[in-house]
Amino acid sequence: MKVDDDKRVEQLLQFKMMTQVLKSTFKDSDSFALVLESLTQAMTDKNGSIDMKKLGISQKDLFDLGHGGKERLTSAVNQISSKINSGNLTIDELVEKASKKYCIDKELLFAVIKQESDFDPNCTSYMGAMGLMQLMPETASDLGINNPYNIEENIDGGAKHLRGYLNMYGNCKELALAAYNAGPGTLQNRGVKNVEAINRLPYETRDYVKKVMKYYGK
């Protein structure tokens, strides 16, 4: 019985710590709406409700929270801004930093991350692309990245990579995104020099550009 009690107390303490941290770091922004969407999808069950088991919260824990505890907990989870740490920095802060460093709209960076990895820093594609901004091994090496799964290195490297394409295509976001996805060689080989010619590219790249620009919303 003592083991169960200790476990329950530990869960409640973890929950209290989590909610306090999230309340203090929550930011009401369009960018975090994308992060929130990804997080809530990961935490919901097949019926679209918050899966308390994924939070490590038992029925006994919910009972101890008092009347309406589950509803309050669900409400708190629905306000989470996904505090994923890299040292003391969040994804939001790192994107802000990269945005200023490489003169890229942070909403565009968030849109790329959303489409590339859905905010999963451990994401690896079947082609071997890694991390939040899905950098290929040779790209990561060229950018001087030691650990592509480190969110600070990944975001900085991905932003630098995208900045290079923005410079290459006269700051045209659609062409830069197409090159980020398919490589500049593909654009050159298919004679893609303007936005209207993007329809010459493979469906995957056309769909990629369309989705990122939709998330970008500008």
Side-chain angles (χ1 to χ4, degrees), residues 4-114:
D4 290 339
D5 287 344
D6 289 344
K7 182 178 180 181
R8 177 172 59 79
V9 170
E10 181 182 357
Q11 287 177 332
L12 286 173
L13 288 174
Q14 289 175 345
F15 167 67
K16 290 178 180 179
M17 290 176 64
M18 178 188 75
T19 53
Q20 288 301 315
V21 169
L22 292 172
K23 284 179 180 179
S24 67
T25 59
F26 182 73
K27 298 178 181 178
D28 185 15
S29 68
D30 293 338
S31 301
F32 266 77
L34 295 178
V35 184
L36 177 59
E37 178 186 341
S38 302
L39 183 67
T40 52
Q41 285 177 354
M43 286 185 167
T44 53
D45 59 24
K46 61 182 180 180
N47 297 317
S49 301
I50 298 298
D51 189 343
M52 297 302 169
K53 291 182 180 179
K54 292 181 180 180
L55 294 177
I57 304 296
S58 69
Q59 289 298 318
K60 184 66 169 62
D61 295 329
L62 292 175
F63 177 80
D64 289 344
L65 289 174
H67 179 68
K70 182 175 182 179
E71 288 72 20
R72 293 196 302 276
L73 175 56
T74 301
S75 177
V77 171
N78 283 331
Q79 296 182 54
I80 290 174
S81 61
S82 187
K83 186 177 177 64
I84 301 176
N85 290 315
S86 174
N88 293 319
L89 297 177
T90 65
I91 288 178
D92 186 58
E93 291 166 332
L94 290 169
V95 167
E96 181 78 33
K97 180 180 177 182
S99 169
K100 293 177 180 178
K101 182 177 179 179
Y102 298 107
C103 297
I104 302 175
D105 193 339
K106 72 174 185 177
E107 272 70 35
L108 181 60
L109 291 176
F110 269 108
V112 171
I113 294 172
K114 168 64 179 176

Side-chain angles (χ1 to χ4, degrees), residues 135-152:
L135 302 174
M136 293 297 290
E138 58 270 27
T139 301
S141 179
D142 290 343
L143 292 167
I145 295 174
N146 295 315
N147 178 11
Y149 297 103
N150 176 280
I151 65 174
E152 184 166 11

